[in-house]
Amino acid sequence: RSLCDWSSDVCSSDLINDSIFKANVAAEEVALNPFIPNLTVPVALKQGQISLSGSVSVTQLLQGDKFNFAGLKGNGNLRLAVNNQSNINSEFTINNSIFKANISAGEVGLNSFIPNLTVPVALKQGQINLSGSLFQLLQGDKFNLAGLKGNGNLRLAVDNKDSINSDFIIKDSTFKATVSAKQIELNPFISNLTVPTVLKQGQINLSGSLSQLLQDKNLNLAALKSNGSIQLVTNNQSAFNSQFSLQNSQLMLTASSDLSRLPINSLLAQFPNQQFLPQALEVKGNAKFQGVLSVTNLQLKGNLQLDNFSFNDRQFEPRLQGTVKIDPSKAISINLQGKQDIIAAAIKPCTYTH
C-alpha cells in the first residue's frame, strides 16, 4: 500500500496480493503549461479522479514489455480549464480492455492558439464519444485503429456568429465527416478585398480510412474521398458557385460565376510583381468551368465557356468556349473560340540563366 501527496495532487494504491491490485488517483489545480511549453494560454487540470483495479499480476500486466489489458477495470473523469474557465470535461470507463470515453467542451476561444486570426473565433460546443479495445489499439509499434468506434459534433462561431458545424462518425478505422459553413464574411481574412464578400454557404463531405490516411506519419491524400459545394456572394448578389468531388487525388470541379461580381482587382492586388499587371480590370459576362485538378502536382485542365464576355470595354461575341490547361512546372495555356473571336495565350516559365 502506498500514499503520496505532491502539493496539489493526491494518489493512493493498494496491492492486495500478487493477482489483485487497486489504484486511485486524485488531482486538482495542476497547471499544464510547464509540461506543454508551446501552450500560449493558461491550461490547467482543475479536477481529476482515476480509479483502476485488476485481477492480474504485475508480471502479467507488463507481459512482453507491453501492457496486457485483460482483467483491467477502471473509470475516471477529468476537468480542464482553458484561460481560467472550466471548458473541457471527459469521462472514461475500462472493462477488460474495452474502453469508452466521452469528451465535451464549450466556449473555448481559439484566437490565443491561432494569433493570426483577425476576428474572434471560438469553439462554442463540442462532443466526442470514442470506444474500442485498448489491447487492439496499442497492438504493435503503431496505433491499430481497427475496431475503433466514435462519433462527435463541433460547433464554431466566427465573429460571434454560429458559422461552422461539423459531425463525424468512426467505425473500424473508416470515418465519415461533414463540415458545413454559412454567412462568413471574408473581408477580415483578405485585407485587400474592396467589396463585401461573404461565404453564403458551403459544405464538404469527407470519408476514408484513418489507417491509410495517416500512413507513415504523413497525410496520404489518395485515401481521402470528398465532395461539396461553395457559394460566394458580393454586395449581396450571387457571384460564384462551385461543386467539387475528390477521389484518388483528383479534384473534379464544376463552377459558374458572374464575372462582374467577382473582386478580381482585389485578388490581383495579392500578387507580387504588380508592374506586369494592368492597373485595373473591368470584366463582365458569365463563366462556366468543368475540369480536373490534380492535388499532387496542381495541374489543372478543363473546359471553359464564356457568355457575353467583355474585357475593359472590349465586347466579344455572345459565346466563347474552349480549353484551359495549367501546369505550374511547364506552361499555362488558354484557347477559347467563337465563330470569329478567339482568345488564345500560352505562358511558359522563364528558364534562362545568366
Side-chain angles (χ1 to χ4, degrees):
R1 178 180 177 86
S2 66
L3 291 171
C4 51
D5 184 353
W6 300 303
S7 63
S8 60
D9 46 57
V10 178
C11 67
S12 65
S13 64
D14 290 296
L15 182 61
I16 298 176
N17 54 47
D18 186 50
S19 62
I20 299 175
F21 76 93
K22 293 182 178 180
N24 297 287
V25 179
E28 51 184 38
E29 300 297 342
V30 179
L32 301 183
N33 295 71
F35 306 100
I36 311 175
N38 291 330
L39 290 174
T40 56
V41 296
V43 179
L45 174 64
K46 297 294 289 183
Q47 192 173 34
Q49 178 74 40
I50 298 175
S51 301
L52 296 173
S53 64
S55 58
V56 294
S57 67
V58 175
T59 302
Q60 185 180 359
L61 190 65
L62 298 174
Q63 185 176 15
D65 296 327
K66 297 176 181 178
F67 283 108
N68 180 3
F69 292 99
L72 181 65
K73 297 182 179 181
N75 61 78
N77 61 80
L78 303 172
R79 183 162 57 90
L80 298 180
V82 180
N83 250 352
N84 301 314
Q85 295 181 339
S86 295
N87 306 98
I88 302 174
N89 296 282
S90 66
E91 297 178 350
F92 72 88
T93 60
I94 302 173
N95 189 359
N96 294 328
S97 165
I98 304 301
F99 77 92
K100 294 182 179 180
N102 303 296
I103 303 171
S104 59
E107 293 295 338
V108 178
L110 302 182
N111 294 70
S112 299
F113 299 98
I114 311 174
N116 291 331
L117 291 174
T118 55
V119 296
V121 179
L123 172 66
K124 297 293 289 184
Q125 190 175 21
Q127 178 73 40
I128 298 175
N129 308 302
L130 297 172
S131 64
S133 167
L134 286 174
F135 177 78
Q136 192 173 15
L137 185 66
L138 301 176
Q139 190 176 21
D141 297 329
K142 301 178 181 179
F143 282 114
N144 180 10
L145 298 175
L148 181 66
K149 297 181 180 180
N151 61 76
N153 171 267
L154 300 175
R155 184 162 55 89
L156 298 179
V158 179
D159 206 9
N160 301 313
K161 300 175 184 177
D162 288 345
S163 302
I164 301 175
N165 192 74
S166 174
D167 296 282
F168 72 87
I169 297 175
I170 301 173
K171 185 176 181 181
D172 297 332
S173 178
T174 299
F175 75 94
K176 293 182 179 180
T178 298
V179 181
S180 58
K182 62 179 182 179
Q183 298 299 330
I184 299 178
E185 296 182 6
L186 301 182
N187 296 71
F189 301 98
I190 307 175
S191 58
N192 288 329
L193 284 178
T194 57
V195 296
T197 304
V198 177
L199 173 63
K200 185 176 182 180
Q201 60 183 14
Q203 179 168 310
I204 180 170
N205 307 303
L206 303 167
S207 64
S209 167
L210 285 175
S211 300
Q212 296 178 10
L213 186 65
L214 302 176
Q215 191 175 15
D216 298 326
K217 299 181 180 180
N218 294 316
L219 283 177
N220 178 19
L221 294 178
L224 183 65
K225 297 180 181 179
S226 73
N227 62 77
S229 61
I230 294 173
Q231 182 180 4
L232 296 180
V233 170
T234 60
N235 285 325
N236 297 318
Q237 294 180 319
S238 180
F240 178 82
N241 295 276
S242 176
Q243 293 79 42
F244 59 88
S245 63
L246 174 67
Q247 187 170 358
N248 297 324
S249 299
Q250 300 293 306
L251 185 65
M252 278 68 76
L253 294 166
T254 300
S256 62
S257 174
D258 183 339
L259 298 176
S260 65
R261 296 173 182 170
L262 288 180
I264 294 177
N265 291 303
S266 298
L267 296 175
L268 289 176
Q270 308 290 325
F271 288 88
N273 300 322
Q274 290 290 309
Q275 66 270 23
F276 299 112
L277 298 175
Q279 292 184 350
L281 290 178
E282 184 178 357
V283 180
K284 296 180 181 179
N286 296 306
K288 294 181 180 179
F289 176 81
Q290 185 173 4
V292 179
L293 173 67
S294 174
V295 177
T296 54
N297 55 23
L298 299 181
Q299 292 183 2
L300 174 69
K301 59 181 179 180
N303 298 313
L304 177 63
Q305 176 180 304
L306 298 179
D307 292 329
N308 301 315
F309 178 67
S310 68
F311 178 87
N312 282 3
D313 295 327
R314 168 65 168 91
Q315 184 69 47
F316 290 81
E317 60 185 279
R319 174 162 294 181
L320 300 171
Q321 55 189 4
T323 59
V324 175
K325 296 180 181 179
I326 299 177
D327 186 339
S329 63
K330 294 182 179 179
I332 299 174
S333 64
I334 181 171
N335 187 353
L336 305 180
Q337 298 185 18
K339 294 181 179 180
Q340 293 181 339
D341 294 340
I342 296 176
I343 299 176
I347 304 173
K348 295 183 179 181
C350 179
T351 58
Y352 175 77
T353 58
H354 293 284

